[in-house]
Amino acid sequence: MRRETTLAAARLQLQVIHHFEELAALASEWDALEQKLYLRTPFTSSAWNLLWWRHHRESKMTIQDELYSFALRNDRGELVAVAPMMVSLRPGIKALGIRVLQFFGADPNITEIRGPICDPEYRELVVATLQNYLHTCRRKWDWIEWQGLSLPQALILATPSAAQPMPRVVCYLTLPPTWEELKTSLSRNMKEAIRKCFNSLKRDRHSHEMHVVSKPDEVHAAMQTFFDLHTLRATTGNTVEHPNVFRHEKSRRFLTEFAHKMAQHDRLRLFQVKIQGKVVATRIGFVCGRHLYLYYSGYDVEWGKYSIMTTVVVHAVQWAIANGFEYLNLSTGRDYSKMRWQPNEYLLHNAIQISPRLRSAPLFHGYHKIRSGAFSRFMARRG
């Protein structure tokens, strides 16, 4: 009998967490649990989530975040899931505020994947246990922004009257033993793009080298270079639009501290392409077991005509293969730069669930109507 067929009759022990110290105390168990995931990412680690709360939780008049997280254990006391969640009060006044229950990662695209960190064998039971508990505590939330679900879970949890968010697409490569084997599987256009990005540099007599930053004492300088190049790419016209995700100082402090922590555990691989000793392009990579996650990038636009970011990614892929990685995660979204690698896709579904309280549905629809109107006016002014 498959183990999951016996789980329906099981019961999980649910711990409700309101204090940061309780959440931090789970770190070692959390990291052991995270190693069981099918596709590991930096966002499922205890380090990312604990640092996120320290740097990004809101505490102001317009919005205030309250810790409302969960740990679930099986009958042997083993940690099988962590749901790093919070109630966001909008405005930040307890008596009057709208109460939105959501996962850590409510930031401007810094956290690319959100949701429960869960042993795959307990996935359905974990969400059902959380749902049953939250139904009994429905006065504590007006709606829940569920993320990282399976499609059946999302269909069950979604409130029909609420517009539902699109699933999050994760693109990744299953790496063969050699670069040549991977290259052979690519389309003719992609092979030509790879050839051109290297030959164009040679044609103009530019020799380049790749440097991989991994040591803690290299992090500060490498991250400053990354932020400079990321900003430069975002603020330059006549190219594909890229937002400056790390324009706020708190976001820079957060990512730098996380990168330093990853370097301390030999889990940072920051890829840099140098020409004449100067870094002209960079992309952050995080080691997650035998998975390598490629995060944000930046480049000097003066070198854009040489497709310098393609050069960076090719070097990162070659490095991952040479070092025996099983998967290369290209991050989320179906943009052209990913799809030309012909990646595998993994869908993470999301759902909006409105509380059955009488006030909650009107608050939800009113809030989103106001937000939509404000956004439309903002875009009209920009035009």
Side-chain angles (χ1 to χ4, degrees), residues 187-204:
S187 69
R188 179 182 302 175
N189 287 343
M190 186 56 183
K191 292 174 186 174
E192 181 64 14
I194 293 171
R195 187 186 68 81
K196 282 185 176 181
C197 74
F198 286 92
N199 287 349
S200 61
L201 287 169
K202 291 180 182 178
R203 182 191 64 228
D204 290 349

Side-chain angles (χ1 to χ4, degrees), residues 3-125:
R3 184 178 177 186
E4 48 265 52
T5 63
T6 68
L7 292 177
R11 296 190 63 178
L12 297 179
Q13 305 166 36
L14 177 67
Q15 177 188 3
V16 182
I17 299 171
H18 294 297
H19 301 288
F20 178 77
E21 294 76 15
E22 294 178 84
L23 192 64
L26 297 173
S28 60
E29 291 180 284
W30 184 332
D31 291 336
L33 167 65
E34 193 252 350
Q35 294 178 22
K36 299 179 181 179
L37 302 184
Y38 172 60
L39 281 179
R40 297 174 60 190
T41 74
F43 319 111
T44 53
S45 68
S46 66
W48 182 279
N49 285 274
L50 296 175
L51 287 173
W52 189 94
W53 180 256
R54 289 182 186 145
H55 287 272
H56 283 287
R57 62 163 300 202
E58 297 286 3
S59 183
K60 53 190 179 184
M61 284 296 294
T62 53
I63 183 169
Q64 183 169 328
D65 295 329
E66 296 180 347
L67 194 65
Y68 196 28
S69 296
F70 307 92
L72 297 98
R73 299 179 182 275
N74 61 19
D75 56 5
R76 296 184 298 278
E78 300 166 336
L79 186 71
V80 298
V82 178
M85 303 184 79
M86 60 189 181
V87 170
S88 295
L89 288 160
R90 305 169 184 172
I93 305 170
K94 288 188 178 182
L96 303 175
I98 298 170
R99 303 179 67 86
V100 182
L101 180 59
Q102 60 180 327
F103 288 92
F104 288 9
D107 51 51
N109 298 316
I110 296 167
T111 305
E112 296 186 309
I113 296 172
R114 303 164 64 190
I117 296 89
C118 181
D119 183 328
E121 293 188 351
Y122 288 86
R123 190 175 182 182
E124 302 300 324
L125 186 57

Side-chain angles (χ1 to χ4, degrees), residues 17 21-22 25 40 56 77-78 136 142 160 178 185 217 243 312 318 324 382:
I17 299 171
E21 294 76 15
E22 294 178 84
R40 297 174 60 190
H56 283 287
E78 300 166 336
T136 67
D142 288 301
T178 67
S185 70
D217 59 0
V312 174
Q318 292 173 334
R382 289 189 67 186

